[in-house]
Amino acid sequence: RTGETHPAGERRKRRVNVIPPTRDIPAPRVLAAAFLAPRLLPVTQPPPSAAGPRATPLLRNLPPLCPPLPSRRLPPAQDADREDGGGTDGQDLAELFDVYHAPDAEFAASGEPRKTGKNKERGKVHRDGDWHRAVHVWLYTPQGEFVVQQRSEKKDTFPGKWDVSVGGHVTSGDSVMHTVIKETEEELGVDADEAQLERLATVATSLKGNSPKQGDFTCNEYKDIFLLKYSGLLQDLNFADNEVSDVKLIPWQQVEKDMLLQLSPEGEPTDGPYVPRPKSYIDLLFDAMRARFPAKVSK
């Protein structure tokens, strides 16, 4: 952190200098219905960060793309059925998610999840293992470094783990793109433009775990994965304390090695410093990075 202090509740707006995606990159591909059976993963504290000093991003103004949406929390009359006691500390477990059908042949063919027409509170979705939707945005530098974040200890799933640059659930009624732009600003203070985001695919993943805030959870999730290339350093990224504990830059090749080390010999995700990811997710992400940073061949 920079060591600066600010009045309670006041956040600094930072805008990162994003670079338009390279036009000769292959078109996004669909990775459908590739997911692992749930596995109970204990939540442990990550090792101390070895991150070096972080530095200031290059900033520019971008116009807002999406108007703010009304709150989708439950009305007061339904609060009696809540199990979390409120949402002021980290996530609001009463936030409503759309519930989706489990991956099937139709998803395998189209790559687009199907809604059931029902919605449900966040805490109950994770308690009951309902399929829902989330977004992942991997920020990478022209030098091939990923921005990785350490999840806040207040998170309801995998607190304290190192993770994707930006991740967030799609609230009931919201679009994927609205969520991408909203979460990128909320978690890191970065204003992104839809034209600068590179969509890779939607993948289906399934994990189990336990956290102090949620208790036992089953996270059955459709993840829409994006890349965002930008120019800048990290020192002044404006990350929210209830979402992110720390951020650092790591070469993408090292992130791949670290994630592969968390796979069992059978290819199942296991506990470690990162949020566990199945091999289908890892292959999709790092195949995309190899396309953007081809290995140099020695003559």
Side-chain angles (χ1 to χ4, degrees), residues 72 95-100 115 120 122 132-136 167-180 182-183 221-224:
R72 298 189 184 276
E95 179 186 8
L96 292 180
F97 292 165
D98 289 320
V99 177
Y100 287 78
K115 294 180 181 180
K120 197 171 181 179
R122 177 191 188 112
H132 55 289
R133 199 160 188 171
V135 299
H136 280 194
H169 291 89
V170 180
T171 301
S172 179
D174 285 358
S175 70
V176 168
M177 188 55 66
H178 173 89
T179 304
V180 167
K182 179 187 71 174
E183 293 291 337
E221 208 167 68
Y222 291 104
K223 294 180 173 69
D224 293 273

Side-chain angles (χ1 to χ4, degrees), residues 52-66:
R54 295 174 287 141
T56 308
L58 302 177
L59 308 174
R60 70 182 180 92
N61 291 326
L62 289 173
L65 293 181
C66 297

Side-chain angles (χ1 to χ4, degrees), residues 24-44:
D24 57 356
I25 294 303
R29 58 191 175 93
V30 170
L31 187 67
F35 65 97
L36 299 174
R39 176 186 176 94
L40 185 62
L41 297 170
V43 175
T44 59

Side-chain angles (χ1 to χ4, degrees), residues 73-82:
R73 290 183 56 185
L74 290 176
Q78 295 176 265
D79 277 352
D81 192 37
R82 292 178 57 174

Side-chain angles (χ1 to χ4, degrees), residues 60-230:
R60 70 182 180 92
N61 291 326
L62 289 173
L65 293 181
C66 297
L69 296 182
S71 171
R72 298 189 184 276
R73 290 183 56 185
L74 290 176
Q78 295 176 265
D79 277 352
D81 192 37
R82 292 178 57 174
E83 301 173 355
D84 63 297
T88 58
D89 190 18
Q91 290 79 35
D92 183 352
L93 300 189
E95 179 186 8
L96 292 180
F97 292 165
D98 289 320
V99 177
Y100 287 78
H101 291 284
D104 55 15
E106 187 171 336
F107 173 66
S110 68
E112 181 59 31
R114 293 182 299 118
K115 294 180 181 180
T116 63
K118 301 177 181 179
N119 57 32
K120 197 171 181 179
E121 294 173 72
R122 177 191 188 112
K124 294 178 181 178
V125 163
H126 286 147
R127 179 196 68 189
D128 300 338
D130 297 296
W131 284 89
H132 55 289
R133 199 160 188 171
V135 299
H136 280 194
V137 185
W138 287 90
L139 275 65
Y140 69 99
T141 70
Q143 293 73 39
E145 297 170 306
F146 272 140
V147 176
V148 296
Q149 63 154 278
Q150 186 178 29
R151 294 166 65 84
S152 167
E153 293 294 341
K154 301 173 183 177
K155 288 281 194 177
D156 56 341
T157 59
F158 301 108
K161 299 291 186 181
W162 289 95
D163 200 8
V164 58
S165 316
V166 175
H169 291 89
V170 180
T171 301
S172 179
D174 285 358
S175 70
V176 168
M177 188 55 66
H178 173 89
T179 304
V180 167
I181 294 169
K182 179 187 71 174
E183 293 291 337
T184 304
E185 195 284 324
E186 286 182 356
E187 293 196 6
L188 295 180
V190 174
D191 282 349
D193 187 300
E194 180 174 350
Q196 297 154 341
L197 290 155
E198 304 172 71
R199 183 182 179 276
L200 299 184
T202 302
V203 300
T205 66
S206 182
L207 290 170
K208 284 189 174 184
N210 180 280
S211 72
K213 185 177 180 69
Q214 172 69 41
D216 292 335
F217 62 82
T218 300
C219 192
N220 288 327
E221 208 167 68
Y222 291 104
K223 294 180 173 69
D224 293 273
I225 305 175
F226 294 82
L227 292 176
L228 177 63
K229 185 177 182 180
Y230 81 102

Side-chain angles (χ1 to χ4, degrees), residues 234-248:
L234 293 182
Q235 185 175 353
D236 292 328
L237 280 182
N238 181 29
F239 52 91
D241 290 341
N242 67 334
E243 294 281 353
V244 182
S245 294
D246 198 7
V247 292
K248 61 183 178 180

Side-chain angles (χ1 to χ4, degrees), residues 295-299:
K296 295 181 180 179
V297 178
S298 301
K299 295 184 179 180

